[in-house]
C-alpha cells in the first residue's frame, strides 16, 4: 500500500485526535492504549518502554491539562509507518502553557494504527 502525504496526515491525525481526547479527559489508560506494546516513550521525564510507562506518565499529569497540536510534517519511511513532526501546546489551569515539538512514529498493527515512538523536545 502506498500512502500519499494527504493520507499520511489523515492517519496521523486519526491517532492524535484520539490521543488528544484521552489527554484532555485525563484518561491515562486510554492514552496508553494508543501505543504499541513496546513503544518507546519520551515525554519530559526519563523515557519508558511500553504502555505501562505511558499510563504512569499521563496519570502524573495535572487534572485540566489539555493538548492542542499542529502537524508540521509527515513522511512515510515504509509501508505501515507514518512519521510526524508537530507543534504541541499543553495548557494548564494553574500555570502558563508549555509549547513543545513532538516527533511520533505510528505503526500499522493488524489493520489499526498505534504510536510506536514518541519524542518530545523542548526548544528555547
Amino acid at each position: 500500500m502506498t500512502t500519499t502525504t494527504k493520507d499520511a496526515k489523515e492517519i496521523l491525525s486519526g491517532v492524535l485526535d484520539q490521543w488528544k481526547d484521552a489527554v484532555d479527559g485525563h484518561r491515562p489508560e486510554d492514552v496508553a492504549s494508543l501505543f504499541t506494546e513496546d513503544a518507546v516513550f519520551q515525554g519530559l521525564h526519563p523515557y519508558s518502554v511500553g504502555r505501562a510507562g505511558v499510563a504512569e506518565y499521563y496519570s502524573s499529569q495535572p487534572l485540566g491539562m489539555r493538548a492542542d497540536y499542529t502537524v508540521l510534517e509527515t513522511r512515510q519511511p515504509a509501508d505501515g509507518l507514518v512519521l510526524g513532526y508537530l507543534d504541541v501546546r499543553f495548557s494548564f489551569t494553574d500555570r502558563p502553557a508549555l509549547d513543545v515539538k513532538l516527533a511520533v512514529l505510528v505503526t500499522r498493527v493488524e489493520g489499526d494504527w498505534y504510536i510506536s515512538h514518541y519524542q518530545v523536545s523542548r526548544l528555547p
Side-chain angles (χ1 to χ4, degrees), residues 2-103:
T2 301
T3 303
T4 66
T5 301
K6 180 181 175 189
D7 293 338
K9 188 172 181 180
E10 288 175 5
I11 290 165
L12 191 62
S13 294
V15 174
L16 291 174
D17 286 351
Q18 294 176 73
W19 168 81
K20 175 190 173 12
D21 184 60
V23 168
D24 291 356
H26 196 71
R27 298 188 318 271
E29 294 299 326
D30 289 348
V31 175
S33 73
L34 299 169
F35 287 75
T36 59
E37 296 283 347
D38 63 348
V40 175
F41 178 85
Q42 176 67 63
L44 293 176
H45 302 293
Y47 85 98
S48 64
V49 176
R51 290 178 175 160
V54 174
E56 182 180 326
Y57 181 86
Y58 281 103
S59 68
S60 73
Q61 298 305 313
L63 290 174
M65 182 181 84
R66 298 185 55 84
D68 291 296
Y69 73 89
T70 302
V71 175
L72 300 173
E73 296 287 337
T74 61
R75 301 289 187 271
Q76 185 192 11
D79 279 348
L81 296 175
V82 174
L83 176 67
Y85 185 64
L86 306 97
D87 276 332
V88 179
R89 172 168 275 200
F90 291 102
S91 58
F92 306 90
T93 59
D94 62 345
R95 60 183 148 174
L98 176 64
D99 295 317
V100 299
K101 300 294 186 192
L102 174 62

